[in-house]
Amino acid sequence: MWIPIQLNEHSAEPLYHQIEVQLRAFIVSGQMPEGTMLPSIRELAQLTKCSVITVRRVYQDLENEGLIRTRQGTGTFVAKVEDEARDRQRRNAVMEALESAVDAGLRVHFGEDEIVEMLQEVLRSRREADASAAAPGGEEAQHD
Amino acid sequence: MWIPIQLNEHSAEPLYHQIEVQLRAFIVSGQMPEGTMLPSIRELAQLTKCSVITVRRVYQDLENEGLIRTRQGTGTFVAKVEDEARDRQRRNAVMEALESAVDAGLRVHFGEDEIVEMLQEVLRSRREADASAAAPGGEEAQHD
Amino acid sequence: MWIPIQLNEHSAEPLYHQIEVQLRAFIVSGQMPEGTMLPSIRELAQLTKCSVITVRRVYQDLENEGLIRTRQGTGTFVAKVEDEARDRQRRNAVMEALESAVDAGLRVHFGEDEIVEMLQEVLRSRREADASAAAPGGEEAQHD
Amino acid sequence: MWIPIQLNEHSAEPLYHQIEVQLRAFIVSGQMPEGTMLPSIRELAQLTKCSVITVRRVYQDLENEGLIRTRQGTGTFVAKVEDEARDRQRRNAVMEALESAVDAGLRVHFGEDEIVEMLQEVLRSRREADASAAAPGGEEAQHD
DNA sequence: GTGGTCTAGACCACC
DNA sequence: GTGGTCTAGACCACG
């Protein structure tokens, strides 16, 4: 298992920001317990296909936030996070995204029901994509 | 009636892009019939508190997309758009936002139900905000 | 070898358009193979004595046309162009100019022969200019 | 018969400039002898589908050049022009256009012969267009 | 009044 | 170093 980071090159969102958001989410969601060693800057650079400088900036930002800690010559590790802070961050990230989606929907005059409907459509398609990825030939698909 | 554009100065998203997204949504949602004159570059610049150049770029991009038409010395107008294209764009804008929200949610291991729940929470809070904005004196509106 | 761009400051034609036309011609004529790096925005701005913004616009327009590709922090490069499209563009540029010249000639009642004659005169003077530029010391070159 | 002016709305060349060039050519080529009355500003505006202000500017520029003369309440008339000046202007307009066409051609590495060939192609197509316009149903077409 | 072009210079993201 | 965004203000073309 390794950090699943998907970057959108054509987005107006800066690369470093996309990486930060996803890495922060990964840590905050408890998938990397305190003390876990992160990939080296150059590994992550290779993985994300961007320059080490960009990744270095990400690690530095997260260290300033107190999420990770760098030890000279040893590596970078997940720092101790308060459970409460973690929960808040975890929730916040999603709420913000949902708010901006709702804004977009209301702006073009979709009704609340339609928006909920569309969300469920997205969830469904994600579920199917996962299923076919997990069991590409199989039939015993999971419907969570 | 006038175009409600909200900019987030601290976002990493370029200003011109934020304006484009909202203006596109406004046009595509059918709130400005074909031929409607858009605010002049200078007006919109004042309204959004950014420079005329930035607005100019927005209008030019939208013209390249075929959504609007500009005539020197006359103004900028909503162009003819195929209904189908309009519907597609309208839906797309929201779906994309929802997809990125769902990604964010799944990434931090929220369940589908939790995400739907959060969406409804957002919708509820938006509804309340609207109600209190519409009836600031606090007549009977909100059923919090 | 470097891109020979001549601007006419007093022309009514916008600077960015003059640059575009010549740069497009240069690329389309195959003098810069796919992948060649173009001068940086700042370099070209200095070279053409206009602002970086103007050059930026040129590069962006050409990128929208698909002639070049820009990569942030890396540079601007000649894109892959279909041979056919390239030939068409190459020919078009000249035909349009010739058409407008012929229009001008016929409008003032020059005969076809006179126009061809004048064209040859222009070609001759260009040839001589080149010769004297190539051999400024006056070796043997020009056969005036 | 009336002044044949063709405007290209999408050209980067200003409208007023296009009109000036063609009107100047028309006068200078001797098609309007001294004293001939030009169409009124508002007539020409209607004819060219642009505003009277634009046409007024054209007339003013040509008057400053000494090509035409305006008499209050009477109209605008072709002024007396020296034969030599007229010939020079007549020739210049075409030579300039040819020069820019040759530049365009050489820039994309066409040979002199190819350019001459293309010119003749343009002349041929113009001749055919004229023929079919003059005798749309007929057969006794003119080949000059 | 409108849109169209251009400048000079700033700051940011990225390599 | 590269490209990307933005500003404040100027002047022109056009109605």
Side-chain angles (χ1 to χ4, degrees), chain B residues 14-16 49-51 53-54 57 72-74:
Chain B
L15 284 182
Y16 82 93
K49 286 174 187 142
C50 58
S51 91
I53 296 279
T54 302
R57 164 155 192 188
Q72 197 173 139
T74 312

Side-chain angles (χ1 to χ4, degrees), chain A:
Chain A
M1 147 263 197
W2 233 182
I3 308 182
I5 290 191
Q6 315 156 351
L7 297 187
N8 177 0
E9 287 221 34
H10 304 90
S11 159
E13 189 183 0
L15 287 181
Y16 82 95
H17 197 259
Q18 296 184 41
I19 304 177
E20 274 183 30
V21 165
Q22 300 188 31
L23 198 48
R24 190 182 296 118
F26 203 71
I27 296 172
V28 143
S29 65
Q31 294 170 67
M32 303 183 75
E34 180 187 344
T36 306
M37 181 170 162
L38 291 153
S40 78
I41 287 184
R42 114 178 15 178
E43 271 173 11
L44 190 50
Q46 216 167 339
L47 208 122
T48 56
K49 286 174 187 148
C50 46
S51 87
V52 290
I53 301 186
T54 302
V55 177
R56 196 154 58 75
R57 163 155 192 186
V58 170
Y59 277 18
Q60 196 156 307
D61 286 353
L62 294 182
E63 182 159 22
N64 289 342
E65 281 181 36
L67 268 183
I68 66 181
R69 222 177 10 174
T70 299
R71 277 195 306 227
Q72 274 281 354
T74 314
T76 306
F77 303 86
V78 175
K80 189 174 180 320
V81 195
E82 304 291 334
D83 279 3
E84 192 203 352
R86 168 189 296 174
D87 286 353
R88 194 159 19 84
Q89 285 210 40
R90 178 170 174 244
R91 187 182 162 79
N92 266 4
V94 187
M95 287 296 278
E96 275 175 22
L98 283 171
E99 275 164 16
S100 104
V102 165
D103 282 346
L106 298 179
R107 212 181 284 132
V108 295
H109 286 190
F110 276 112
E112 299 198 358
D113 293 349
E114 288 173 299
I115 296 175
V116 174
E117 176 73 22
M118 288 163 88
L119 177 70
Q120 270 154 349
E121 190 176 327
V122 171
L123 285 169
R124 199 179 322 124
S125 76
R126 281 287 185 275
R127 205 188 308 137
E128 285 162 11
D130 278 4
S132 66
E139 195 57 283
E140 70 276 20
Q142 55 274 60
H143 13 253
D144 190 2

